Amino acid sequence: MGKNKKRLAVAFAMVLLLIITGKIIIGNMLDHVRHISVSMPNMTDVRDGTYIGEYSISPVSVKVQITVRSHQIMDITLLQHENGLGSAAENIVKDVVSMQTLEVDAIAGATVSSKCILKAIEDALENGGSSDEDNRGL
């Protein structure tokens, strides 16, 4: 076998190994995401105000600001969304506001970002319903 053919074979093996490793890592991350539950807090417990919520699943990180008035979600602002390729998931906030629930479908192709955004919203709403003084309300 010539020197160039050996180099090509080694390069091909390395690329194949990287692809297999990447698929395993992404598969494990998606499996983890599927098992994370999102639940809608009881909105009658959420006081009027503006609340911050955060959540991350590496490499996605989300920070939201939620405005609640009369036990209704009036507005959701994405303060931070480090997402890689999941920017399409940002549309999920419109669904949450219009439907007034976290039980909305994830955006196709942006499952991890969708789940992180929903969990950050859940975090913010739980802060709005907490009875302690440090509820991260604004």
Side-chain angles (χ1 to χ4, degrees), residues 7-54:
R7 286 183 183 163
L8 186 59
V10 169
F12 179 75
M14 296 285 285
V15 168
L16 187 60
L17 181 63
L18 287 172
I19 290 171
I20 291 170
T21 302
K23 284 188 170 267
I24 291 170
I25 291 170
I26 290 171
N28 287 340
M29 180 179 58
L30 289 175
D31 188 51
H32 172 73
V33 168
R34 280 188 210 101
H35 291 93
I36 294 173
S37 65
V38 177
S39 60
M40 183 71 182
N42 184 345
M43 289 302 291
T44 60
D45 295 336
V46 181
R47 297 181 304 272
D48 288 357
T50 303
Y51 302 95
I52 302 292
E54 300 177 77

Side-chain angles (χ1 to χ4, degrees), residues 23-131:
K23 284 188 170 267
I24 291 170
I25 291 170
I26 290 171
N28 287 340
M29 180 179 58
L30 289 175
D31 188 51
H32 172 73
V33 168
R34 280 188 210 101
H35 291 93
I36 294 173
S37 65
V38 177
S39 60
M40 183 71 182
N42 184 345
M43 289 302 291
T44 60
D45 295 336
V46 181
R47 297 181 304 272
D48 288 357
T50 303
Y51 302 95
I52 302 292
E54 300 177 77
Y55 197 80
S56 67
I57 301 171
S58 187
V60 178
S61 179
V62 176
K63 185 174 185 179
V64 297
Q65 178 177 297
I66 311 292
T67 301
V68 175
R69 197 171 325 125
S70 300
H71 308 289
Q72 297 282 312
I73 301 168
M74 303 307 292
D75 185 53
I76 300 171
T77 302
L78 286 169
L79 301 175
Q80 172 192 345
H81 183 205
E82 296 175 14
N83 58 32
L85 303 175
S87 61
E90 295 176 359
N91 292 321
I92 203 166
V93 298
K94 294 175 189 170
D95 295 340
V96 172
V97 173
S98 68
M99 297 174 71
Q100 293 294 304
T101 184
L102 297 177
E103 295 174 12
V104 296
D105 291 334
I107 303 299
T111 305
V112 177
S113 284
S114 295
K115 187 71 75 133
C116 282
I117 291 169
L118 293 173
K119 289 297 286 183
I121 295 168
E122 177 186 53
D123 180 53
L125 294 174
E126 287 175 351
N127 291 326
S130 67
S131 61

